């Protein structure tokens, strides 16, 4: 069956005339009917590939129990069992199992969430069905569908080409061959070589790097060549991210620290307090377990997954969890202009010919408005140059205007806004687009590309009108290829003076931030009329007649100004890298606040960049800079140089040629709306609204994640202090001060009450202050001196004083005073329970205090994190259970408390919160 399908593809490739191909695939030039599509969907199924299987679930599950930390806990538990300390062993193992299950659950949910994100970006394709062009989901394609493809599209099925203009495809997914392969629509007589060598067939899973084409779907889904190898491309190993690496190092360091402390405590207990070996051993073991940061890994996953989901709601889809952390350290954003900083909602508002200049009224894509010369309305038919300008612009345009219908109340466009607005302008000038398109049939297109910055169409003349090639593009590029110009309907030689006049008009508009496109035309030299395939870029786009300028306004996006301000505050540099003209680029950059309005800014064009050495470029990159008239390939060089300067670079892109820069950047950002499939594949993040502001929001989330992991560490490390201090007192007093906290009680904090609130910190919202500091250096570690000081010498210190005080307080009320403290019986159990309670209540304050680094906890997000409050309730309930459930009392050595103890405990959080609020106030006022 499979071979049959392969042969079918080859058979279709060998057919010489289109009619037979249509016949064989039971379709027509106008596409399939709705009924035929329905029938074929039933017969052939959806056009999808079977999901490649990843690592089996059981293996992922097991991995959560074999990390270094987990192994340490297994061993600790085992030793406890061997030493006949069953309860301790059970406690340690239980925690290990809970921790492992929880990690797995978090990872599983995060995986599901990222998979769901992929579904938010369905693949579309353009088809002709029932004689109408439609955009459908690629999975709905059936054999016989007529598909239209253009540069940057992913090829959705195995397709026999019917028309092809300059098509180059990337077939590396099929053949491993990285060089682009040319394809055309000619029949193949002798089939040799591989299936992928069929010159007139393009294959699913590959992508179109250049040109445009129309083809017929031959086979879909698993019957395609890619379908057959899809199963082989499984188990792609993901690299481990810098954060994961750091966490591995961190757990290793903390585990080593825990073991060192454990051994030290064991030795001190044996030799200073003269504990029996087994008791000293339990003591040491307890310390080890207490110091291991059990919840760390699930918290990180929870935090990353939460951020990814929040980003998705804010129009930024991250493909890998790990990209979130890189986003947080981004120090430079290289951003496109059109569509990202501006709305890409073009409206032609001026027209210019060498003798006249016009204004155009009306807004949006509704063809309602006038063309005015001064106050006087003009019609194109009365003004030959204006007519040719509008007609040329219209014919060299692939977009379509869709009138309001039952789905949309307003005028919509299909295609590029830069092109669509030209049709609108033509209509305003009294030209009938439908009619003009009928009287001139397009026979060839030399498609637009961002390198030469123009495009040309060749039309078959049906009427007396003279010109048959129409070119539109960047004025400086078009003008270079013109040697004459149109004035009052006559072709005149283009002098240096006229060139200057044209460029002066162009610059005048550009300085106002307007986008200018020139239109040129010419008669197609006769030799190419018969051999149209010889009409190539090199011989058509030269010696052209300049007709005029169309000037369009693209309003800046409203959110960009605030986002740019935020970036400046966060010391993130924004570099505009655009294909547009230097003056337009500079004006917009200033207008939207990307560069300060009055600052000196260096505008470097693509041409100038070519002449610059890397050193010169690096020097220029240190100041305010805008890149204009850039070819997408040049972005790669900019990114590379920035990276060599130690910057973490986010770069935006939408076209095929942007892919190398997107891959090279630390964060490649593709446009969801205007982006090609190729760009989206190369990127790490996709903006569903193409909006620059969404990148900034994502960076804030990224920074938030890192800060959340730190909050978590701060919280769990700080509790180690009050846990350790009582034991140190016990050791240093040579046992004179009985242990204020038993080992089982220490474990009940670390492995019980602390877990949920700590996790809650991982879910915290990114506070605004994360954008008030410079980007984190990649060399900076999660745990630094500041964090340790804050954990041990601030939060930890307060908690140690209070918990140790609580111990003496309880003893005092039970009638014991130092040095005759209770060392057994109910009074001792009560004293240790109060100490335990004091630490737990200190931790309640700590979790609330750790939520925000600088901001007061009493702010708009106070109630937003339900996990924190659930954690606090859980903490208190668990403590109540430990205190009042007899069996737990027996295991943990606790005793019921007096009402005065409760009163004391309940009061603990308030002063702690107050002190920390005062500290934060000083921090905010920059007094400390
Ligand atoms: P950005 O790179 O910021 O998105 P851009 O849209 O100007 O800006 P390109 O798409 O590379 O960048 O376009 C480069 C230039 O080519 C434009 O400034 C314009 O002069 C010209 N141009 C853009 N689109 C077309 C088009 N459809 N037809 C002809 N010329 C075009």
């Amino acid at each position: 069956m499979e071979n049959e399908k392969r042969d079918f593809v080859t058979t279709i490739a060998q057919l010489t005339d289109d009619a037979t191909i249509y016949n064989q695939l039971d379709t027509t030039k106008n596409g399939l009917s709705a009924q035929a599509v329905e029938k074929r969907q039933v017969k052939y199924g959806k056009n999808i590939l079977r999901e490649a299987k990843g690592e089996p679930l059981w293996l992922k599950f097991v991995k959560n129990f074999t990390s270094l930390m987990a192994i340490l806990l297994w061993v600790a538990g085992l030793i406890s069992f061997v030493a006949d300390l069953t309860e301790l062993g059970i406690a340690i193992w239980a925690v290990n199992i809970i921790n492992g299950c929880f990690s797995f659950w978090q990872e599983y949910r995060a995986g599901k969430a990222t998979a769901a994100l992929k579904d938010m970006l369905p693949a579309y394709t353009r088809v002709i069905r029932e004689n109408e062009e439609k955009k459908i989901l690629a999975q709905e394609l059936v054999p016989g569908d007529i598909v239209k493809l253009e540069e940057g599209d992913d090829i959705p099925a195995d397709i026999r080409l019917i028309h092809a203009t300059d098509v180059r495809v990337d077939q590396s997914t099929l053949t491993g061959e990285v060089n682009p392969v040319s394809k055309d629509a000619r029949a193949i007589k002798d089939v040799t070589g591989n299936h992928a060598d069929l010159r007139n067939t393009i294959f699913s899973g590959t992508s179109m790097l250049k040109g445009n084409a129309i083809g017929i779907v031959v086979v879909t889904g698993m019957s395609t060549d890619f379908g057959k190898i899809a199963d082989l491309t499984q188990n792609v190993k993901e690299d481990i991210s810098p954060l994961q690496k750091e966490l591995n190092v961190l757990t290793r360091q903390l585990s080593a620290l825990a073991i060192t402390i454990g051994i030290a405590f064991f030795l001190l207990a044996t030799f200073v307090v003269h504990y029996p070996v087994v008791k000293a051993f339990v003591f040491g073991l307890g310390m080890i377990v207490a110091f291991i940061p059990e919840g760390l890994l699930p918290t990180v996953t929870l935090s990353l997954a939460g951020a990814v989901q929040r980003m998705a709601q804010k129009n930024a889809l991250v493909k890998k969890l790990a990209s979130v952390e890189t986003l947080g350290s981004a120090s430079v954003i290289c951003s496109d202009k059109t569509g990202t900083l501006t709305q890409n909602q073009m409206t032609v508002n001026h027209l210019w010919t060498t003798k006249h200049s016009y204004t155009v009224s009306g807004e949006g894509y509704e063809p309602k408005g006038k063309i005015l010369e001064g106050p006087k309305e003009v019609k194109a038919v009365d003004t030959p140059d204006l007519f040719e300008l509008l007609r040329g612009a219209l014919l060299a345009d692939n977009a379509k205007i869709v009138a309001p219908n039952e789905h949309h109340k307003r005028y919509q466009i299909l295609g590029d806004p830069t092109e669509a607005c030209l049709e609108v302008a033509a209509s305003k000038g009294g030209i009938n687009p439908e009619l003009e398109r009928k009287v001139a049939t397009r026979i060839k297109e030399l498609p637009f590309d961002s390198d030469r910055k123009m495009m040309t169409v060749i039309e078959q003349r049906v009427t007396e009108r003279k010109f048959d090639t129409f070119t539109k593009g960047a004025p400086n590029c078009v003008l270079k290829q013109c040697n004459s110009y149109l004035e009052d309907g006559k072709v005149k030689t283009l002098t240096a003076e006229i060139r200057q006049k044209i460029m002066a008009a162009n610059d005048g508009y550009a300085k106002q931030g307007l986008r200018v496109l020139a239109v040129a035309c010419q008669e197609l030299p006769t030799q190419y009329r018969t051999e149209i395939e010889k009409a190539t870029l090199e011989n058509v786009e030269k010696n052209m007649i300049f007709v005029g300028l169309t000037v369009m306004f693209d309003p800046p996006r409203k959110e960009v100004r605030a986002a740019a301000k935020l970036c400046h505050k966060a010391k993130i540099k924004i570099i505009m890298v655009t294909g547009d003209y230097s003056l337009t680029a500079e004006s917009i950059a200033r207008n939207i606040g990307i560069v300060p309005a009055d600052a000196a800014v260096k505008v470097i064009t693509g041409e100038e960049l070519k002449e610059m050495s890397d050193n010169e470029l690096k020097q220029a990159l240190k100041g305010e800079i805008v890149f204009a008239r850039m070819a997408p390939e040049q972005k790669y060089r900019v990114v590379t140089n920035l990276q060599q300067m130690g910057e973490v670079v986010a770069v935006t892109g939408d076209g095929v040629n942007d892919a190398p820069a997107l891959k090279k950047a630390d964060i490649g950002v593709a446009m969801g709306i205007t982006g090609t499939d190729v760009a989206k594949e190369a990127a790490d993040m996709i903006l569903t609204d193409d909006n620059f502001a969404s990148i900034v929001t994502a960076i804030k989330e990224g920074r938030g994640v890192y800060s959340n992991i730190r909050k978590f560490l701060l919280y769990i490390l700080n509790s180690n202090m009050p846990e350790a201090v009582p034991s140190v007192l016990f050791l240093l007093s040579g046992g004179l001060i009985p242990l204020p906290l038993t080992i089982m009680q220490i474990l009940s904090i670390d492995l019980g009450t602390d877990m949920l609130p700590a996790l809650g910190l991982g879910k915290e919202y990114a506070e605004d202050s994360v954008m008030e500091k410079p980007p984190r250096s990649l060399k900076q570690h999660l745990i630094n001196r500041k964090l340790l000081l804050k954990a041990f010498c601030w939060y930890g210190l307060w908690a140690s004083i209070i918990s140790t005080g609580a111990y003496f307080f309880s003893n005092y009320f039970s009638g014991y005073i130092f040095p005759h403290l209770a060392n057994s019986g109910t009074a001792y159990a009560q004293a240790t329970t109060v100490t335990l309670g004091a630490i737990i209540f200190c931790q309640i304050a700590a979790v609330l205090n750790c939520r925000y680094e600088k901001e007061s906890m009493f702010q708009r997000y106070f109630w937003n994190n339900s996990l924190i409050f659930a954690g606090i309730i859980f903490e208190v309930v668990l403590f109540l259970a430990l205190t009042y459930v007899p069996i737990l009392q027996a295991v943990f050595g606790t005793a019921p408390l007096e009402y005065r103890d409760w009163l004391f405990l309940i009061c603990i959080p308030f002063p702690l919160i107050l002190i920390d609020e005062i500290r934060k106030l000083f921090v905010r006022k920059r007094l400390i």
Side-chain angles (χ1 to χ4, degrees):
M1 180 77 178
E2 276 182 10
N3 278 337
E4 229 173 74
K5 294 255 171 56
R6 265 176 187 264
D7 290 338
F8 186 51
V9 171
T10 315
T11 313
I12 298 290
Q14 287 174 300
L15 298 178
T16 43
D17 72 308
D18 291 0
T20 330
I21 305 174
Y22 286 120
N23 230 339
Q24 281 282 324
L25 290 162
D26 198 9
T27 185
T28 69
K29 213 165 84 199
N30 298 335
L32 297 169
S33 67
Q35 294 91 314
V37 169
E38 220 169 280
K39 270 195 203 143
R40 289 180 200 203
Q41 272 171 349
V42 174
K43 185 169 172 194
Y44 298 104
K46 286 201 161 160
N47 176 33
I48 43 176
L49 301 178
R50 249 196 323 268
E51 268 296 309
K53 287 177 232 120
E55 200 172 51
L57 214 56
W58 66 265
L59 194 63
K60 285 188 180 163
F61 182 73
V62 169
K63 274 190 175 169
N64 284 291
F65 297 93
T66 52
S67 65
L68 173 74
M69 216 161 62
I71 291 171
L72 266 177
L73 290 176
W74 287 129
V75 174
L78 189 69
I79 296 173
S80 310
F81 284 119
V82 172
D84 212 13
L85 304 160
T86 319
E87 287 143 3
L88 185 63
I90 291 175
I92 296 173
W93 277 17
V95 163
N96 210 10
I97 290 168
I98 294 170
N99 194 42
C101 290
F102 197 76
S103 278
F104 169 72
W105 174 234
Q106 283 306 329
E107 205 179 288
Y108 179 75
R109 272 191 22 182
K112 282 254 169 242
T114 20
L117 292 183
K118 283 191 193 132
D119 292 341
M120 286 172 72
L121 261 188
Y124 288 100
T125 193
R126 284 195 297 163
V127 292
I128 298 172
R129 284 181 182 171
E130 301 183 309
N131 202 18
E132 226 181 86
E133 190 179 318
K134 293 178 182 161
K135 194 171 161 191
I136 62 158
L137 287 171
Q139 60 171 0
E140 287 169 7
L141 270 186
V142 289
D145 258 326
I146 314 289
V147 184
K148 277 184 122 179
L149 293 157
E150 58 187 37
E151 181 177 306
D153 283 346
D154 274 348
I155 293 158
D158 289 358
I159 295 167
R160 164 71 155 94
L161 296 174
I162 295 291
H163 289 290
T165 312
D166 200 15
V167 172
R168 306 273 154 81
V169 292
D170 172 2
Q171 295 197 143
S172 55
T173 42
L174 276 185
T175 59
E177 165 67 52
V178 285
N179 292 325
V181 180
S182 289
K183 298 272 173 173
D184 57 49
R186 282 176 296 155
I188 303 168
K189 285 199 197 90
D190 304 312
V191 175
T192 51
N194 283 330
H195 221 201
D197 295 336
L198 293 174
R199 214 189 44 243
N200 58 14
T201 309
I202 49 175
F203 295 94
S204 170
T206 65
S207 45
M208 189 116 143
L209 297 181
K210 212 167 183 311
N212 50 34
I214 299 181
I216 312 181
V217 174
V218 183
V219 286
T220 56
M222 292 306 287
S223 305
T224 61
D225 272 26
F226 193 59
K228 284 171 203 129
I229 62 160
D231 280 342
L232 304 175
T233 54
Q234 338 174 326
N235 287 337
V236 183
K237 261 206 155 171
E238 280 211 7
D239 285 345
I240 82 162
S241 73
L243 180 64
Q244 278 165 319
K245 272 188 211 149
E246 167 135 24
L247 286 173
N248 289 346
V249 173
L250 189 69
T251 34
R252 239 176 283 148
Q253 284 170 344
L254 287 178
S255 303
L257 180 78
I259 292 172
T260 315
I261 291 177
I263 293 172
F265 275 46
F266 167 75
L267 294 176
L268 286 170
T270 316
F271 298 108
V272 180
V273 190
H274 305 294
Y275 250 26
V277 176
V278 173
K279 223 172 152 190
F281 180 74
V282 177
F283 188 59
L285 201 63
M287 280 329 236
I288 294 179
V289 179
F291 272 82
I292 290 178
E294 289 84 10
L296 181 60
L297 297 179
T299 309
V300 172
T301 319
L302 179 81
S303 190
L304 289 171
V308 167
Q309 268 164 11
R310 280 196 298 275
M311 285 180 192
Q313 284 157 10
K314 293 172 189 163
N315 305 312
L317 302 187
V318 178
K319 292 212 263 174
K320 273 196 297 182
L321 282 193
S323 310
V324 177
E325 38 173 295
T326 322
L327 262 173
S329 46
S331 57
V332 178
I333 308 173
C334 294
S335 174
D336 283 340
K337 173 182 71 66
T338 313
T340 314
L341 298 168
T342 64
Q343 295 180 19
N344 202 8
Q345 297 253 324
M346 306 281 174
T347 315
V348 174
N349 58 7
H350 293 278
L351 294 164
W352 188 91
T353 56
T354 47
K355 263 189 125 175
H356 304 270
S357 72
Y358 308 91
T359 52
V360 185
S361 67
E363 268 175 24
Y365 296 109
E366 187 176 3
K368 224 166 120 186
K370 292 176 185 159
I371 298 186
L372 305 159
E373 188 175 11
K376 195 174 92 211
E377 184 177 355
V378 266
K379 286 288 168 207
V381 274
D382 306 323
T383 325
D385 300 350
L386 179 64
F387 181 83
E388 286 306 338
L389 174 63
L390 289 174
R391 183 169 80 109
L394 170 75
L395 293 178
D397 147 19
N398 288 322
K400 275 209 173 80
I401 303 286
V402 185
N405 53 30
E406 72 266 28
H407 305 298
H408 303 285
K409 285 200 185 76
R410 298 206 316 199
Y411 277 84
Q412 302 286 311
I413 60 161
L414 273 177
D416 184 350
T418 299
E419 305 201 336
C421 69
L422 297 172
E423 176 175 336
V424 178
S427 301
K428 288 176 183 172
I431 289 182
N432 180 340
E434 290 301 307
L435 196 68
E436 285 305 327
R437 286 194 182 115
K438 265 196 198 126
V439 295
T441 349
R442 187 179 294 187
I443 48 173
K444 184 159 181 170
E445 178 183 337
L446 303 170
F448 171 77
D449 75 57
S450 304
D451 289 327
R452 56 184 228 292
K453 299 184 172 45
M454 54 183 155
M455 66 170 285
T456 297
V457 293
I458 303 172
E459 307 279 329
Q460 180 116 42
R461 246 189 267 172
V462 184
T463 60
E464 281 312 294
R465 285 174 191 147
K466 278 197 295 210
F467 306 112
D468 33 29
T469 83
F470 298 95
T471 302
K472 68 172 180 0
N476 52 340
C477 304
V478 172
L479 209 55
K480 263 191 209 151
Q481 307 304 334
C482 291
N483 60 3
S484 52
Y485 71 103
L486 198 67
E487 196 171 87
D488 294 333
K490 293 191 187 73
V491 178
K492 297 184 177 172
T493 307
L494 195 59
T495 58
E497 200 184 329
I498 299 293
R499 275 183 201 277
Q500 250 175 23
K501 183 175 169 186
I502 297 169
M503 283 319 286
N506 172 54
D507 290 1
Y509 292 123
K511 276 185 192 149
Q512 300 168 42
L514 299 168
R515 182 181 177 91
V516 191
L517 236 58
V519 175
C521 59
Q522 65 171 310
E523 281 182 56
L524 186 68
T526 34
Q527 74 256 38
Y528 303 129
R529 286 179 201 273
T530 42
E531 285 185 283
I532 193 71
E533 66 279 2
K534 289 205 175 142
T536 57
L537 289 181
E538 293 72 28
N539 48 36
V540 171
E541 285 178 357
K542 68 175 189 195
N543 302 333
M544 298 188 296
I545 307 160
F546 171 84
V547 181
L549 302 174
T550 60
V551 185
M552 44 197 88
F553 174 58
D554 180 14
R557 284 183 179 272
K558 287 191 191 73
E559 318 80 344
V560 168
R561 181 169 277 281
K565 211 166 160 193
L566 200 58
C567 283
H568 291 144
K569 221 165 149 191
K571 301 277 181 286
I572 299 167
K573 186 170 180 154
I574 311 167
I575 301 178
M576 184 196 269
V577 185
T578 177
D580 217 334
Y581 190 53
S582 44
L583 292 175
T584 310
E586 184 182 346
S587 160
I588 292 182
R590 285 190 195 279
N591 184 6
I592 55 183
I594 278 194
V595 293
D598 41 3
V601 57
K602 201 168 171 64
V603 184
I604 295 181
T605 62
E607 288 292 312
E608 287 162 356
L609 182 63
K610 277 186 208 153
E611 303 301 317
M612 287 171 93
S613 70
D614 278 351
N615 276 344
E616 285 166 332
L617 175 59
K618 286 195 182 89
Q619 206 52 39
L621 284 168
K622 286 184 188 156
E624 293 292 349
I625 189 166
V626 167
F627 289 101
R629 284 285 184 245
M630 288 278 279
E633 297 81 0
Q634 293 181 301
K635 276 187 195 170
Y636 184 88
R637 191 168 160 215
V638 173
V639 171
T640 312
N641 274 277
L642 282 165
Q643 285 176 330
Q644 284 165 1
M645 290 163 72
E647 306 286 358
V648 178
V649 189
V651 71
T652 68
D654 47 15
V656 173
N657 300 349
D658 287 323
L662 290 173
K663 281 206 185 117
K664 174 81 180 131
D666 301 277
I667 291 285
V669 185
M671 300 297 136
I673 304 171
T674 54
T676 54
D677 297 334
V678 173
K680 286 179 197 163
E681 252 144 54
D684 305 291
M685 183 167 97
I686 295 161
L687 300 182
T688 52
D689 61 350
D690 288 11
N691 190 344
F692 175 81
S694 305
I695 309 176
V696 183
T697 315
I699 290 182
K700 185 175 172 193
E701 285 292 347
R703 288 190 175 194
V705 166
Y706 204 82
S707 121
N708 282 353
I709 297 172
R710 285 205 150 158
K711 288 172 191 171
F712 167 87
L713 285 170
L714 184 62
Y715 175 76
I716 56 160
L717 287 179
N718 105 84
S719 72
N720 286 339
M721 192 71 175
E723 286 164 9
V725 165
S727 307
V728 173
L729 283 181
F730 158 75
L731 291 173
L732 295 185
S733 68
L736 197 61
I737 301 174
L739 250 186
L741 207 57
T742 67
I743 288 305
M744 286 302 279
Q745 286 167 352
I746 291 182
L747 294 184
S748 77
I749 303 172
D750 247 71
L751 313 180
T753 58
D754 259 5
M755 291 288 259
L756 227 89
L759 270 175
L761 287 173
K763 256 192 94 191
E764 206 48 72
Y765 280 71
E767 59 193 299
D768 291 343
S769 62
V770 293
M771 293 300 270
E772 280 165 14
K773 44 189 165 193
R776 171 180 65 92
S777 145
L778 284 182
K779 290 192 197 111
Q780 196 185 323
H781 292 294
L782 269 170
I783 292 192
N784 57 12
R785 214 163 56 109
K786 196 170 148 206
L787 186 132
L788 288 177
L789 274 177
K790 209 160 154 192
F792 295 140
C793 303
W794 178 249
Y795 294 126
L797 182 70
W798 287 115
S800 305
I801 294 171
I802 291 174
S803 57
T804 315
Y807 180 65
F808 287 102
F809 164 89
S810 176
N811 267 296
Y812 174 77
F813 280 104
S814 307
Y816 295 90
I817 313 177
F818 188 73
H820 306 290
L821 299 174
N823 58 10
S824 61
T826 316
Y828 175 67
Q830 255 182 355
T832 58
T833 310
V834 174
T835 316
L836 170 69
I839 297 179
I840 291 173
F841 278 82
C842 284
Q843 284 297 84
I844 292 178
V847 75
L848 294 172
N849 286 333
C850 288
R851 287 182 73 183
Y852 307 115
E853 267 181 83
K854 276 188 181 176
E855 287 167 28
S856 161
M857 77 167 75
F858 303 105
Q859 50 132 312
R860 61 202 156 120
Y861 295 136
F862 186 77
W863 295 111
N864 272 5
N865 190 343
S866 49
L867 198 54
I868 292 267
F869 296 103
I872 292 175
I873 294 170
F874 170 77
E875 240 176 325
V876 176
V877 171
L878 189 60
F879 179 59
L880 281 169
L882 290 174
T883 318
Y884 293 103
V885 177
I887 184 173
L888 295 179
Q889 288 172 348
V891 174
F892 289 90
T894 49
L897 299 183
E898 306 289 331
Y899 78 93
R900 58 156 198 268
D901 300 328
W902 277 109
L903 201 63
F904 169 73
L905 293 180
I906 289 168
C907 289
I908 289 176
F910 299 101
L912 288 177
I913 289 174
L914 184 71
I915 296 172
D916 207 43
E917 283 291 313
I918 295 172
R919 180 191 66 85
K920 286 180 186 171
L921 186 74
F922 276 94
V923 173
R924 285 200 296 277
K925 300 232 177 275
R926 297 180 200 279
L927 295 171
I928 49 173

